[in-house]
Amino acid sequence: METTEDTISNVTTEKCSVQADFQYGFFTVTYSLVFILGLPGNAVALYYLCKRRQRSRSSNVYFVNLSVVDSFFICLLPFRIYYHNTGNNWIFGDVPCRITGALFYANIYLSIGFFTCISLDRYLAVVHPLMYMKLKCTRCSLILTIVIWIICSAIILPLILGGPLGSAPENGTRTSCFEDFSTSMWQHRLAPYNICALIFGFLVPFTVVGVVIPSLARRICRMKSSIHRKVALRIIVFILVVCMVCFLPYHVSHLLHFMMRLDIIQDCALAMHIYKLRRITLALVSVNSCLNPILYFIPYLSRKLHAPYSKQTYNIQNGKPTDKASPKITSPCPLPSRLEPVTVVKAKVEWSVL
């Protein structure tokens, strides 16, 4: 769980301190816009995703959980807005600081986790439809969702219960929350959370997305032109834009900040730039919470703007799409063993989440 602070380290504190006066207004404006736009957007998305028609989709559990995480994240923003608007002065006490601060960062990585699951789910649905249909019957999406929540809880609870996460007032004028930590606290308590964030919040998810998105794009481009193909391509573009604008810059600055805190980077001028970059990307990562509802409505808007929805199908023979007529399997679950193996099925390109 990464943190930021105005003094760099034991080595650099005496000769170098970093400031970013623009951060107070920048955080306030950015978080306010995310709150104003994201709260109604996610409320509408949750209402639509929880309708009976949508609950029948096994993969819809990822979209519902992502929307819940975004909504909860947005509800925490008023605390951060007030904190930054008053010059990074926390007035709500130690326990609220621990809870809101830990949950603030936890929601970022929960969003990344469910975002990765959605990408992997769409990859399996299009590139490996036979495997996808079997996984649908085993409630794999629900199991994976529960595992993600358990892992997150196991990481967050020790952080909240482990002691104060704020600093004492500086000359009686300012109380920081989730920053201005001592070097000892950084090295012995916070470093493991930063390592976990870099590995499981950056390296693993971006590796998964980097592998599945190109394969998914190639398979989609082989399909004949249709509303489904347009929807699929728009979803891929949306995923890439959010990753490049929100998540990638955030974790690049996170890595640089981590190196700075370990005294690998000690140059004062470079430390100043890293600190400013860190503040900007920390605000921008929150923007994904008000952008994600667009992902849910891409199929609906595409159908309204182009053509009436039609349940188009394409044939999958030995894992490859084909337009030739073939036997049709109507049940998504595996058939009795005496009817297997099945090499040809007819499957719909299920890109709609609404």
Side-chain angles (χ1 to χ4, degrees), residues 176-205:
S176 299
C177 179
F178 252 79
E179 52 188 0
D180 294 344
F181 292 110
S182 66
T183 302
S184 175
M185 180 178 288
W186 172 262
Q187 293 178 346
H188 296 96
R189 182 181 176 188
L190 299 176
Y193 292 97
N194 282 266
I195 294 173
C196 289
L198 285 169
I199 295 175
F200 299 106
F202 175 68
L203 184 60
V204 174

Short mmCIF file of all heavy atoms in Angstrom, two decimals, residues 176-205:
data_model
loop_
_atom_site.label_atom_id
_atom_site.label_comp_id
_atom_site.label_asym_id
_atom_site.label_seq_id
_atom_site.Cartn_x
_atom_site.Cartn_y
_atom_site.Cartn_z
N SER A 176 -1.15 14.86 9.20
CA SER A 176 -1.19 14.14 7.93
C SER A 176 -1.86 12.79 8.11
O SER A 176 -1.86 12.21 9.20
CB SER A 176 0.22 13.94 7.38
OG SER A 176 0.84 15.18 7.14
N CYS A 177 -2.41 12.27 7.03
CA CYS A 177 -3.03 10.95 7.02
C CYS A 177 -2.49 10.17 5.83
O CYS A 177 -2.61 10.59 4.68
CB CYS A 177 -4.55 11.07 6.92
SG CYS A 177 -5.43 9.48 6.86
N PHE A 178 -1.87 9.03 6.11
CA PHE A 178 -1.29 8.17 5.09
C PHE A 178 -0.13 8.83 4.36
O PHE A 178 0.10 8.57 3.18
CB PHE A 178 -2.36 7.71 4.09
CG PHE A 178 -2.72 6.26 4.25
CD1 PHE A 178 -3.57 5.85 5.27
CD2 PHE A 178 -2.20 5.28 3.41
CE1 PHE A 178 -3.90 4.52 5.44
CE2 PHE A 178 -2.52 3.95 3.58
CZ PHE A 178 -3.37 3.57 4.59
N GLU A 179 0.62 9.70 5.03
CA GLU A 179 1.84 10.27 4.49
C GLU A 179 2.67 10.83 5.63
O GLU A 179 2.26 10.78 6.79
CB GLU A 179 1.55 11.35 3.45
CG GLU A 179 0.60 12.42 3.91
CD GLU A 179 0.19 13.34 2.78
OE1 GLU A 179 0.66 13.15 1.64
OE2 GLU A 179 -0.59 14.25 3.04
N ASP A 180 3.87 11.32 5.31
CA ASP A 180 4.82 11.83 6.31
C ASP A 180 5.21 10.76 7.31
O ASP A 180 5.35 11.03 8.51
CB ASP A 180 4.24 13.03 7.04
CG ASP A 180 4.06 14.22 6.13
OD1 ASP A 180 4.65 14.23 5.03
OD2 ASP A 180 3.32 15.15 6.50
N PHE A 181 5.41 9.52 6.84
CA PHE A 181 5.81 8.44 7.74
C PHE A 181 7.30 8.52 8.05
O PHE A 181 8.10 9.02 7.26
CB PHE A 181 5.52 7.08 7.11
CG PHE A 181 4.04 6.79 6.98
CD1 PHE A 181 3.45 6.76 5.73
CD2 PHE A 181 3.27 6.53 8.10
CE1 PHE A 181 2.10 6.48 5.60
CE2 PHE A 181 1.93 6.26 7.99
CZ PHE A 181 1.32 6.23 6.73
N SER A 182 7.66 7.97 9.19
CA SER A 182 9.07 7.87 9.55
C SER A 182 9.74 6.79 8.70
O SER A 182 9.09 5.90 8.18
CB SER A 182 9.22 7.52 11.04
OG SER A 182 8.70 6.22 11.29
N THR A 183 11.06 6.88 8.62
CA THR A 183 11.80 5.88 7.86
C THR A 183 11.64 4.49 8.45
O THR A 183 11.53 3.50 7.73
CB THR A 183 13.30 6.25 7.81
OG1 THR A 183 13.44 7.54 7.23
CG2 THR A 183 14.08 5.24 6.99
N SER A 184 11.59 4.42 9.78
CA SER A 184 11.43 3.12 10.44
C SER A 184 10.09 2.48 10.08
O SER A 184 10.02 1.29 9.78
CB SER A 184 11.54 3.30 11.96
OG SER A 184 11.27 2.08 12.63
N MET A 185 9.01 3.27 10.12
CA MET A 185 7.70 2.72 9.76
C MET A 185 7.68 2.29 8.30
O MET A 185 7.09 1.28 7.95
CB MET A 185 6.60 3.76 10.02
CG MET A 185 5.20 3.25 9.66
SD MET A 185 3.89 4.44 10.02
CE MET A 185 3.86 4.35 11.80
N TRP A 186 8.32 3.09 7.47
CA TRP A 186 8.36 2.76 6.06
C TRP A 186 9.05 1.42 5.81
O TRP A 186 8.55 0.57 5.10
CB TRP A 186 9.07 3.87 5.28
CG TRP A 186 9.31 3.51 3.85
CD1 TRP A 186 10.46 3.03 3.32
CD2 TRP A 186 8.38 3.58 2.79
NE1 TRP A 186 10.32 2.80 1.99
CE2 TRP A 186 9.04 3.13 1.62
CE3 TRP A 186 7.05 4.00 2.69
CZ2 TRP A 186 8.42 3.07 0.39
CZ3 TRP A 186 6.42 3.94 1.46
CH2 TRP A 186 7.10 3.49 0.32
N GLN A 187 10.20 1.23 6.40
CA GLN A 187 11.00 0.04 6.14
C GLN A 187 10.42 -1.22 6.77
O GLN A 187 10.50 -2.30 6.20
CB GLN A 187 12.43 0.25 6.63
CG GLN A 187 13.19 1.31 5.85
CD GLN A 187 14.59 1.55 6.38
OE1 GLN A 187 14.92 1.11 7.49
NE2 GLN A 187 15.42 2.24 5.61
N HIS A 188 9.82 -1.11 7.95
CA HIS A 188 9.39 -2.30 8.66
C HIS A 188 7.90 -2.61 8.52
O HIS A 188 7.50 -3.76 8.68
CB HIS A 188 9.73 -2.16 10.16
CG HIS A 188 11.19 -2.08 10.43
ND1 HIS A 188 11.85 -0.87 10.58
CD2 HIS A 188 12.14 -3.03 10.54
CE1 HIS A 188 13.14 -1.09 10.80
NE2 HIS A 188 13.35 -2.39 10.78
N ARG A 189 7.08 -1.63 8.22
CA ARG A 189 5.65 -1.88 8.17
C ARG A 189 5.05 -1.70 6.78
O ARG A 189 4.21 -2.49 6.36
CB ARG A 189 4.93 -0.95 9.16
CG ARG A 189 3.42 -1.18 9.20
CD ARG A 189 2.75 -0.24 10.17
NE ARG A 189 1.30 -0.39 10.14
CZ ARG A 189 0.45 0.40 10.76
NH1 ARG A 189 0.91 1.41 11.49
NH2 ARG A 189 -0.85 0.20 10.68
N LEU A 190 5.47 -0.68 6.07
CA LEU A 190 4.80 -0.33 4.82
C LEU A 190 5.45 -0.93 3.58
O LEU A 190 4.78 -1.09 2.56
CB LEU A 190 4.75 1.20 4.67
CG LEU A 190 3.99 1.93 5.77
CD1 LEU A 190 4.09 3.43 5.58
CD2 LEU A 190 2.54 1.49 5.80
N ALA A 191 6.73 -1.24 3.63
CA ALA A 191 7.41 -1.79 2.45
C ALA A 191 6.76 -3.06 1.93
O ALA A 191 6.60 -3.21 0.72
CB ALA A 191 8.89 -2.02 2.76
N PRO A 192 6.37 -4.02 2.79
CA PRO A 192 5.72 -5.24 2.26
C PRO A 192 4.44 -4.96 1.48
O PRO A 192 4.17 -5.62 0.48
CB PRO A 192 5.42 -6.05 3.53
CG PRO A 192 6.42 -5.59 4.53
CD PRO A 192 6.60 -4.14 4.25
N TYR A 193 3.68 -3.96 1.91
CA TYR A 193 2.45 -3.62 1.19
C TYR A 193 2.76 -3.02 -0.17
O TYR A 193 2.04 -3.24 -1.15
CB TYR A 193 1.61 -2.66 2.02
CG TYR A 193 1.04 -3.29 3.27
CD1 TYR A 193 1.66 -3.14 4.50
CD2 TYR A 193 -0.12 -4.05 3.21
CE1 TYR A 193 1.15 -3.74 5.63
CE2 TYR A 193 -0.65 -4.64 4.34
CZ TYR A 193 -0.01 -4.49 5.56
OH TYR A 193 -0.53 -5.08 6.67
N ASN A 194 3.82 -2.23 -0.24
CA ASN A 194 4.22 -1.67 -1.53
C ASN A 194 4.70 -2.75 -2.49
O ASN A 194 4.43 -2.69 -3.68
CB ASN A 194 5.32 -0.62 -1.32
CG ASN A 194 4.79 0.69 -0.84
OD1 ASN A 194 4.52 1.58 -1.62
ND2 ASN A 194 4.60 0.82 0.47
N ILE A 195 5.42 -3.72 -1.98
CA ILE A 195 5.89 -4.82 -2.82
C ILE A 195 4.69 -5.62 -3.35
O ILE A 195 4.64 -5.96 -4.54
CB ILE A 195 6.84 -5.74 -2.02
CG1 ILE A 195 8.12 -4.97 -1.67
CG2 ILE A 195 7.17 -7.00 -2.82
CD1 ILE A 195 9.06 -5.73 -0.75
N CYS A 196 3.74 -5.91 -2.48
CA CYS A 196 2.53 -6.63 -2.92
C CYS A 196 1.77 -5.82 -3.97
O CYS A 196 1.24 -6.39 -4.94
CB CYS A 196 1.62 -6.92 -1.72
SG CYS A 196 2.25 -8.18 -0.60
N ALA A 197 1.68 -4.50 -3.76
CA ALA A 197 0.96 -3.66 -4.71
C ALA A 197 1.62 -3.68 -6.09
O ALA A 197 0.95 -3.73 -7.12
CB ALA A 197 0.89 -2.23 -4.19
N LEU A 198 2.95 -3.64 -6.10
CA LEU A 198 3.67 -3.64 -7.37
C LEU A 198 3.56 -4.98 -8.09
O LEU A 198 3.42 -5.02 -9.32
CB LEU A 198 5.14 -3.30 -7.13
CG LEU A 198 5.46 -1.84 -6.84
CD1 LEU A 198 6.89 -1.68 -6.36
CD2 LEU A 198 5.20 -0.98 -8.07
N ILE A 199 3.59 -6.07 -7.33
CA ILE A 199 3.54 -7.40 -7.95
C ILE A 199 2.12 -7.76 -8.38
O ILE A 199 1.87 -8.07 -9.55
CB ILE A 199 4.10 -8.46 -7.00
CG1 ILE A 199 5.59 -8.22 -6.75
CG2 ILE A 199 3.88 -9.87 -7.58
CD1 ILE A 199 6.20 -9.17 -5.72
N PHE A 200 1.18 -7.71 -7.42
CA PHE A 200 -0.17 -8.18 -7.69
C PHE A 200 -1.10 -7.09 -8.22
O PHE A 200 -2.16 -7.39 -8.78
CB PHE A 200 -0.77 -8.79 -6.41
CG PHE A 200 0.00 -9.96 -5.90
CD1 PHE A 200 0.80 -9.85 -4.77
CD2 PHE A 200 -0.04 -11.18 -6.56
CE1 PHE A 200 1.52 -10.92 -4.29
CE2 PHE A 200 0.69 -12.26 -6.09
CZ PHE A 200 1.47 -12.14 -4.95
N GLY A 201 -0.72 -5.84 -8.04
CA GLY A 201 -1.53 -4.76 -8.57
C GLY A 201 -1.04 -4.22 -9.90
O GLY A 201 -1.76 -3.50 -10.59
N PHE A 202 0.19 -4.56 -10.26
CA PHE A 202 0.76 -4.05 -11.51
C PHE A 202 1.30 -5.15 -12.41
O PHE A 202 0.81 -5.35 -13.52
CB PHE A 202 1.87 -3.04 -11.20
CG PHE A 202 2.60 -2.55 -12.40
CD1 PHE A 202 1.98 -1.74 -13.34
CD2 PHE A 202 3.93 -2.90 -12.62
CE1 PHE A 202 2.66 -1.28 -14.46
CE2 PHE A 202 4.61 -2.45 -13.74
CZ PHE A 202 3.97 -1.65 -14.66
N LEU A 203 2.30 -5.90 -11.92
CA LEU A 203 2.98 -6.87 -12.76
C LEU A 203 2.03 -7.97 -13.25
O LEU A 203 1.94 -8.23 -14.46
CB LEU A 203 4.15 -7.49 -12.00
CG LEU A 203 5.02 -8.47 -12.79
CD1 LEU A 203 5.64 -7.78 -13.99
CD2 LEU A 203 6.11 -9.07 -11.89
N VAL A 204 1.32 -8.61 -12.34
CA VAL A 204 0.44 -9.73 -12.72
C VAL A 204 -0.73 -9.26 -13.60
O VAL A 204 -0.96 -9.81 -14.68
CB VAL A 204 -0.07 -10.47 -11.47
CG1 VAL A 204 -1.11 -11.52 -11.85
CG2 VAL A 204 1.09 -11.12 -10.74
N PRO A 205 -1.52 -8.24 -13.18
CA PRO A 205 -2.65 -7.82 -14.03
C PRO A 205 -2.23 -7.34 -15.41
O PRO A 205 -2.87 -7.67 -16.40
CB PRO A 205 -3.30 -6.70 -13.21
CG PRO A 205 -2.89 -6.95 -11.81
CD PRO A 205 -1.51 -7.50 -11.90
#
